[in-house]
Amino acid sequence: MDVERYDRTRPAYPPELVEHLIAAAPGRETLDVGVGTGIEARQFQAAGCHVLGVEPDARMAEFARKSGIDVEVAKFEDWEPAGRRFDLLVSGQAWHWVDPVAGAAKAAEVLRPGGLFAAFWHVPEPPEEVADALADAYRRLVPDAPIDLKRVPKQPSDPYGPLIVKVADGLREAGGFGEPERSRYDWDWVYTRDEWLDQLPTFGSLTWVESTVRQEILAEVGAAIDRMGGRFTTRYATVAITAVRD
C-alpha cells in the first residue's frame, strides 16, 4: 500500500457529520479506531478534539504521526487502554476490520457514560462510463482475478446496509449501549482525469495487480474520462451508525 497516495487521494468526510458527532459527544477526548493515515483524525483535531489513534498498520500509523496525530500501533481488540476513557470513538472506513462483538465490548470499556460510538463509510458512485471502463478492462486484462469486479451499481437506498446491521447486532450483543441509530450524508465531488487515476490504485481490486497490467487498466479508464471532457462528478453517500454508551 502506497500510504502517501492513499492519504492524498482518499476523500475526507462531510463537515456536517464531524460537527454532528462532536455536538452529540459529552466532550472532546476522541479515540479513532483504524486511524489509517489520519484523514478523519485531522478533521476532528481541527474541530477542537484531542485525538488518539489506534492502527494495526505501522506504515499508516507512522504517516498519521507525521501529520500531527498521536497513534498507538495495535489491533483494537488487543489494544491496552491503560485506564484511559474517551468521550467519542470514531472509525472511518475501518470498523469492518474489527470483530463486531469484541470490538463493541472494547468500545464500551473505553467510552465514558454518555460517550458516543460512531462508525462510518463512504459509498462512491462514479458515472457509468467510468465504472464500465474499469470493469471491462479488469475482466479482459485480469481474467483470473480472485476479485469479481462488477460494474458499480446505482447506490442502494441503504448503502452498507448488511454491514451496518452486523455492527448494530454486535453493539447490542456486547451490551452497554443504547439503541444504535443510522444517518446518511449525500454529496458530490468533481474529479479530474489525473485525480481519479491517482486514487484507483488504492482500492483492493488493483493493489495486487502487476504494475504493467495496472497501467494498462488505468490507461483505458483515462481514455474514457478524456471522452467525457477530462473530468466528471462522482456521487458519494457517507453512511454512519452511532450509539450512546449507557
Side-chain angles (χ1 to χ4, degrees):
M1 170 67 73
D2 183 337
V3 295
E4 292 186 3
R5 181 195 296 267
Y6 184 98
D7 190 79
R8 180 175 68 245
T9 63
R10 288 297 184 100
Y13 293 87
E16 298 84 355
L17 170 64
V18 175
E19 292 164 6
H20 170 74
L21 296 178
I22 292 173
R28 299 295 180 93
E29 290 295 320
T30 302
L31 181 67
D32 189 332
V33 176
V35 66
T37 59
I39 293 171
E40 72 272 4
R42 293 192 296 271
Q43 291 183 264
F44 282 93
Q45 189 175 75
C49 294
H50 178 258
V51 181
L52 173 65
V54 178
E55 171 57 46
D57 187 315
R59 297 166 302 170
M60 285 193 163
E62 182 60 24
F63 187 98
R65 289 191 190 108
K66 289 178 179 177
S67 72
I69 306 298
D70 293 329
V71 184
E72 297 179 7
V73 177
K75 286 184 61 177
F76 180 58
E77 299 94 322
D78 302 329
W79 173 67
E80 177 50 62
R84 290 168 290 183
R85 295 293 181 267
F86 300 86
D87 303 299
L88 175 62
L89 184 155
V90 300
S91 183
Q93 213 77 21
W95 194 259
H96 53 283
W97 298 113
V98 178
D99 180 273
V101 179
K106 178 63 72 72
E109 176 188 346
V110 302
L111 280 170
R112 295 187 176 97
L116 185 66
F117 167 92
F120 38 89
W121 294 265
H122 289 314
V123 186
E125 185 188 324
E128 288 184 5
E129 298 94 326
V130 177
D132 288 352
L134 175 60
D136 291 342
Y138 194 82
R139 286 174 177 155
R140 189 178 69 259
L141 295 169
V142 197
D144 57 347
I147 300 170
D148 181 16
L149 186 64
K150 299 179 174 65
R151 289 175 171 81
V152 177
K154 293 294 182 183
Q155 286 174 359
S157 59
D158 187 17
Y160 279 103
L163 174 59
I164 287 180
V165 168
K166 187 176 181 180
V167 175
D169 288 345
L171 290 164
R172 295 186 188 104
E173 184 174 341
F177 289 96
E179 182 61 18
E181 297 183 358
R182 305 183 190 193
S183 58
R184 171 174 171 158
Y185 302 80
D186 293 291
W187 50 285
D188 295 333
W189 193 259
V190 177
Y191 284 96
T192 65
R193 175 190 191 275
D194 290 346
E195 288 168 345
W196 187 250
L197 297 186
D198 198 20
Q199 183 180 144
L200 273 185
T202 70
F203 292 105
S205 57
L206 288 175
T207 53
W208 67 277
V209 175
E210 199 272 325
S211 177
T212 57
V213 175
R214 183 166 59 244
Q215 290 306 314
E216 289 185 63
I217 294 171
L218 295 178
E220 294 196 21
V221 176
I225 298 170
D226 287 340
R227 291 192 292 272
M228 301 171 67
R231 65 179 57 233
F232 63 91
T233 299
T234 287
R235 295 179 59 235
Y236 276 94
T238 299
V239 294
I241 179 168
T242 59
V244 176
R245 177 71 167 90
D246 291 336

